[in-house]
Amino acid sequence: MGIVRKTRSVDTILELFEDTDHAFSGVSLIERLRDQMNKTTVYRILDRLEDEGIIHSFQDQKGLTWYAKCQSCASGQHTDLHPHFQCRSCGRTSCLHVKITIPLIRNHQIEGAELLMTGLCDQCT
Amino acid sequence: MGIVRKTRSVDTILELFEDTDHAFSGVSLIERLRDQMNKTTVYRILDRLEDEGIIHSFQDQKGLTWYAKCQSCASGQHTDLHPHFQCRSCGRTSCLHVKITIPLIRNHQIEGAELLMTGLCDQCT
DNA sequence: TTGTTATTGCAACCTTGTTGCTTTAATTAA
DNA sequence: TTAATTAAAGCAACAAGGTTGCAATAACAA
Ligand SMILES: [Mn+2]
Ligand SMILES: [Mn+2]
Ligand SMILES: [Zn+2]
Ligand SMILES: [Zn+2]
């Protein structure tokens, strides 16, 4: 929809997401980019990138928002259904590229699903 | 662990959860009980009931906390793994008593999982 | 270059939830 | 029954995450 200009700030954020299934929390991005841009800017860029289908967001069990790169989504169309994993020890959070089965629920029209798995990552086991 | 006294406030909240798979958001409880108790009290009672394995909590896609009755959990032991559903039209949110399959992830030790399904409920279809 | 429009910075604000501390109510001991 | 004990409740202040309005700036197109 709206044109997303490739500004210095946008590039900085896009680089972080490049070639990784690692997710970043909004809070961690604000901290990390503190010297380079305002927190309002961070959130607004994340919003735009999500609108464009370049990244997607999800919530963790504390209610924090996390962002990660999309693999195959388009503008306004987030279609890549996959679970996320958060390590309770190191906090690392990432996309899992596995198929998940969503149960059918009688009389309900299911449109989306978010699965968050928690435990220990390979580093922390 | 800690003794949970059955006070008027606790009873009031417990009654809401009785015999239903309907979930309540913290915010909605505070609003609903505004004339009967302080919001700090609401949150503290919810915490205690969750510690005791009487209710459980989960997050929705906006990061709000929801609470619902447990079916078979014990003090300090939330073992009832099931998905939740939130209607995008009316906002009603509830526990789904269906089995879900959590994928195995190589090198990861999975300890928990939360599945939130969204769509339209029977009333809103 | 200049004009147009998207993007950014900043301060102020909002919502959800938490904390410290005093007061009140429930339970237990006498 | 009354007094002592301790959990629970009320209140105000605070904190974290996130949003909004508006003026200033940077991209882009003409
Ligand atoms: Mn993902
Ligand atoms: Mn439930
Ligand atoms: Zn880890
Ligand atoms: Zn509905």
Side-chain angles (χ1 to χ4, degrees), chain B residues 56 58 68-69 82-84 94-96:
Chain B
H56 59 282
F58 55 96
K69 196 168 196 324
H82 61 264
H84 296 103
S94 54
C95 301
L96 297 175

Side-chain angles (χ1 to χ4, degrees), chain A residues 73-88:
Chain A
C73 300
S75 179
Q77 292 257 23
H78 285 279
T79 53
D80 183 15
L81 178 68
H82 60 264
H84 295 104
F85 176 84
Q86 186 169 60
C87 176
R88 76 158 152 81

Side-chain angles (χ1 to χ4, degrees), chain A residues 3-5 7 9 36-38 40-41 44-45 48:
Chain A
I3 299 119
V4 176
R5 288 190 177 165
T7 63
S9 298
Q36 292 155 78
M37 67 194 85
N38 189 272
T40 308
T41 302
R44 291 203 270 228
I45 289 175
R48 272 182 273 145

Side-chain angles (χ1 to χ4, degrees), chain A residues 53-72:
Chain A
I54 295 167
I55 62 174
H56 59 283
S57 66
F58 56 95
Q59 307 284 131
D60 70 9
Q61 284 171 336
K62 288 179 207 142
L64 290 194
T65 307
W66 292 75
Y67 300 86
K69 196 166 197 325
C70 289
Q71 298 293 320
S72 59

Side-chain angles (χ1 to χ4, degrees), chain B residues 19-58:
Chain B
D19 301 322
T20 178
D21 287 328
H22 192 233
F24 301 92
S25 67
V27 175
S28 74
L29 289 170
I30 288 161
E31 167 63 20
R32 182 166 183 165
L33 301 170
R34 174 171 38 154
D35 300 329
Q36 292 155 79
M37 67 193 86
N38 188 272
K39 75 168 173 174
T40 307
T41 303
V42 174
Y43 281 120
R44 291 205 269 229
I45 290 175
L46 292 170
D47 282 351
R48 271 183 274 145
L49 294 179
E50 185 164 19
D51 285 347
E52 294 296 314
I54 295 167
I55 63 174
H56 59 282
S57 66
F58 55 96

Side-chain angles (χ1 to χ4, degrees), chain A residues 12-24:
Chain A
T12 303
I13 289 185
L14 276 178
E15 276 173 29
L16 293 176
F17 285 103
E18 230 157 57
D19 302 322
T20 178
D21 288 329
H22 191 233
F24 302 92

